[in-house]
Amino acid sequence: MFLTITTTGSADRPATDLGFVLHKHPDKAQRFSTSQGTAHVFYPEADAQRCTAALLLEVDPIALVRKSRGKGRGGAPDSALGQYVNDRPYAASSLLAVALRTVFASAMKGQCTARPELVAQALPLRIEVPVLPARGGPELVDKLFRPLGWTVRAEPVPLDETFPEWGDSRYVRLVLEGECRLSEALRHLYVLLPVLDDAKHYWVAPDEVDKLLRAGEGWLEGHPEQRVIVGRYLARRWSLTRQAMERLAESDGVAAEELDNAVDEEADTEEKPVPLAVRRREAILAVLRSAKAARVLDLGCGPGQLVGALLQEGQFTEIVGVDVSMRALHEARRRLRLDRMSERQSARVRLVQGSLAYTDGRLKGYDAAVLSEVVEHVDPARLPALEYAVFGSARPGTVVVTTPNVEYNVRWESLPAGRVRHADHRFEWTREEFRQWAHGVAARHGYEVSFGPVGPDDPEVGPPTQLAHFRRAGDDSSGPAGSANIPRGRDPEGSGNSGEGRGSEGGASGREDRQSEGSRSVREGRAPEGDSGAAGSSASMTGKEAAA
């Protein structure tokens, strides 16, 4: 990754004075070791009229993976193959910000023993960053830098110049111009580069608040995008964000009680939006209530969030969670505290190990079954086996299926073009593809089906999650027609961090309401011997039952 700082001068004030302020001689090329690679400082041009200092950071991809191992980051938070292919060596990020602090530490502090008068002077500066991740687009880049006095040019980088119809990537070429003290310019970059990338390559600890406030002194207190800057810089850790906002307010003379009121109001509407996973459970519960279901199967239950929500409502008298992963079932048992439940409550729930690629007599006779964010984890060749196991063999009166709407992915700022929301997704359907599959299932197995959105129904790309409500033909059900009984909530900020959790599905981490291993329930079982189709699957599911 690469960054240049250029200034102009005259005979009275030569541009090469930039070398004094940066503490790097224009006639030398210097190397510095950083935790993730090697930084080089050199001057492509240096004379009295014009001087340019360049910072080139060579990232060691192997060291990046090794140092990130065990921290859930992998060096590229939005890449399914982050250990092998990612943008960290090329795109400006927190790696470059750390290199700035390491290489130009004295300049950032405004120290120059040789020419102390230079650090207080505003210099005509031009800063260029060829490749900058901009989660929020050029508009956010402008909102962050323009209030600081910069003239901003953020040009989107096309996905592929050979194929302009593919559109632009989430990267921009950034050019900043203005008169500013060099120490202030470096501190702007140190804070705002990782803010625009909306990711950090290291764990955000409490000392990050001190780093932010030191670098933001003199400009962050009154910045109109202060909340966005603080939240993203601190990786949306609410406790750290609140601490930073309190300290900024104190330095700006705001009373503590005024801050508390302001933070509470903002938290209700911006910082703590309703996650899409919660809305999905609310939508599922609405359908089950309207269907008057009492005995319910949660197929691919993962760590048991939906099972827990069902247990809170007396209408559901028998709840069975099914998953192929014993680890997920153990986590569900721990989360639900089955060992501490009353005898009456624990009699309502069972956790069962099994694969949905096989038919199973234990699943017959239930009022309703739920496949929440499950089908997209199944290899397409195995979908007929799952279809028959649920709709052909178990045949509950009501089936609720939810799955991501791939058309909505363009609304997630943290999701690169062409990527699915979760590394384990085998596919993601458009609304038309989902409807075609659902109508085919209904016709083959004697069901009627209606559809509804989960989350905000965007007029252009639809909702983030799509829901299908299957009713066995001939059953007297008062289920919803379309989306009438499906509650909606406010869309989480594309950040990250929230959405279907913040990251890959909002960055996002992206992050679903079931653990990765648990959500693979329907794909880990082997397809029926000799036939992955519906009618040929007659083998009974094996695996032991874990009774609550």
Side-chain angles (χ1 to χ4, degrees):
M1 58 187 74
F2 193 67
L3 177 147
T4 61
I5 303 173
T6 300
T7 189
T8 56
S10 61
D12 296 334
R13 193 183 68 177
T16 49
D17 283 351
L18 181 65
F20 286 103
V21 188
L22 288 175
H23 297 261
K24 304 293 181 286
H25 198 287
D27 293 337
K28 296 180 181 179
Q30 301 181 52
R31 299 176 57 183
F32 303 86
S33 294
T34 72
S35 59
Q36 306 295 342
T38 303
H40 302 264
V41 178
F42 56 94
Y43 289 77
E45 55 183 344
D47 55 41
Q49 285 71 43
R50 186 178 174 90
C51 183
T52 297
L55 172 63
L56 172 66
L57 179 61
E58 288 186 296
V59 176
D60 182 351
I62 296 176
L64 185 64
V65 172
R66 286 176 176 170
K67 290 179 180 295
S68 300
R69 190 167 293 164
K71 300 178 183 179
R73 299 193 179 266
D78 56 8
S79 176
L81 300 176
Q83 292 194 20
Y84 309 99
V85 180
N86 60 69
D87 67 353
R88 301 298 88 175
Y90 316 106
S93 64
S94 59
L95 292 165
L96 187 59
V98 170
L100 281 171
R101 186 186 64 193
T102 303
V103 175
F104 299 132
S106 297
M108 191 175 293
K109 295 175 184 176
Q111 299 174 349
C112 180
T113 54
R115 298 282 300 277
E117 74 280 1
L118 293 178
V119 297
Q121 295 178 4
L123 302 177
L125 297 175
R126 176 185 172 93
I127 298 173
E128 296 187 50
V129 183
V131 183
L132 173 65
R135 301 174 194 266
E139 298 79 9
L140 182 59
V141 178
D142 190 82
K143 288 180 180 178
L144 294 182
F145 283 103
R146 190 172 296 278
L148 301 176
W150 294 103
T151 298
V152 183
R153 188 164 80 246
E155 301 172 351
V157 176
L159 282 171
D160 192 322
E161 293 180 353
T162 309
F163 302 96
E165 64 273 17
W166 289 2
D168 296 325
S169 69
R170 65 181 178 88
Y171 302 93
V172 300
R173 175 178 176 267
L174 175 65
V175 178
L176 302 174
E177 292 184 296
E179 288 202 5
C180 181
R181 287 185 296 175
L182 184 63
S183 60
E184 292 178 348
L186 293 174
R187 289 189 287 118
H188 295 166
L189 294 169
Y190 175 73
V191 172
L192 297 181
L193 289 181
V195 166
L196 284 166
D197 187 33
D198 201 12
K200 285 199 171 184
H201 68 280
Y202 56 88
W203 176 251
V204 176
D207 63 346
E208 289 296 298
V209 175
D210 294 327
K211 294 179 185 178
L212 172 63
L213 297 184
R214 282 198 299 269
E217 184 178 2
W219 62 271
L220 183 56
E221 296 89 344
H223 199 291
E225 300 296 328
Q226 179 190 90
R227 183 169 294 279
V228 173
I229 294 170
V230 173
R232 286 192 174 197
Y233 185 89
L234 297 173
R236 293 184 173 82
R237 293 189 60 186
W238 173 245
S239 60
L240 298 183
T241 301
R242 182 181 178 86
Q243 179 184 341
M245 295 297 292
E246 288 176 346
R247 291 173 61 179
L248 284 169
E250 290 172 1
S251 65
D252 205 27
V254 178
E257 56 272 17
E258 294 179 20
L259 172 71
D260 289 340
N261 291 337
V263 169
D264 287 342
E265 291 172 4
E266 293 294 332
D268 289 340
T269 59
E270 292 184 11
E271 292 296 328
K272 292 185 178 180
V274 178
L276 188 56
V278 173
R279 297 181 203 167
R280 187 167 55 240
R281 288 195 293 273
E282 292 173 348
I284 292 169
L285 289 170
V287 174
L288 296 177
R289 292 187 202 106
S290 67
K292 299 181 173 60
R295 304 175 68 235
V296 179
L297 299 167
D298 182 8
L299 304 177
C301 65
Q305 289 98 329
L306 179 60
V307 173
L310 291 167
L311 278 170
Q312 294 177 14
E313 302 201 18
Q315 170 183 330
F316 307 112
T317 59
E318 184 178 351
I319 304 155
V320 178
V322 181
D323 206 289
V324 75
S325 168
M326 282 302 299
R327 179 180 177 183
L329 294 174
H330 286 315
E331 174 61 19
R333 183 178 292 104
R334 184 196 65 80
R335 182 189 294 269
L336 297 170
R337 300 183 178 181
L338 295 185
D339 57 335
R340 302 181 184 180
M341 276 187 185
S342 66
E343 183 177 349
R344 180 178 180 181
Q345 184 80 333
S346 64
R348 297 171 58 203
V349 60
R350 286 187 300 142
L351 300 179
V352 177
Q353 184 189 29
S355 167
L356 300 180
Y358 296 90
T359 59
D360 185 353
R362 294 176 297 175
L363 305 185
K364 294 182 178 180
Y366 284 83
D367 300 328
V370 177
L371 290 162
S372 177
E373 308 302 284
V374 169
V375 294
E376 66 272 12
H377 292 270
V378 183
D379 290 322
R382 292 191 175 186
L383 277 177
L386 177 145
E387 174 190 327
Y388 181 75
V390 177
F391 295 91
S393 176
R395 291 191 61 77
T398 292
V399 181
V400 184
V401 179
T402 71
T403 191
N405 168 24
V406 70
E407 296 169 82
Y408 192 87
N409 287 359
V410 297
R411 296 293 187 254
W412 300 117
E413 295 177 1
S414 58
L415 189 64
R419 294 282 175 82
V420 294
R421 298 185 195 177
H422 190 277
D424 191 54
H425 285 184
R426 298 316 197 234
F427 59 86
E428 288 176 357
W429 276 324
T430 65
R431 288 168 289 172
E432 181 59 28
E433 289 169 337
F434 181 52
R435 286 173 179 266
Q436 288 181 3
W437 175 81
H439 282 303
V441 170
R444 286 188 290 271
H445 300 286
Y447 281 79
E448 300 172 349
V449 62
S450 58
F451 303 90
V454 178
D457 198 356
D458 189 289
E460 296 180 3
V461 297
T465 296
Q466 44 195 341
L467 180 149
H469 176 194
F470 296 85
R471 295 174 297 280
R472 199 166 53 205
D475 285 5
D476 181 15
S477 173
S478 59
S483 60
N485 292 315
I486 299 174
R488 304 185 187 182
R490 195 177 63 80
D491 188 35
E493 181 182 353
S495 69
N497 24 348
S498 198
E500 275 214 49
R502 276 185 172 213
S504 128
E505 291 182 5
S509 120
R511 308 177 190 96
E512 301 180 339
D513 69 337
R514 60 187 71 250
Q515 292 180 345
S516 174
E517 180 176 0
S519 63
R520 289 197 292 266
S521 59
V522 296
R523 71 176 181 83
E524 293 186 14
R526 186 169 52 82
E529 192 68 35
D531 186 9
S532 63
S537 176
S538 60
S540 177
M541 173 173 59
T542 59
K544 63 182 181 180
E545 176 177 320

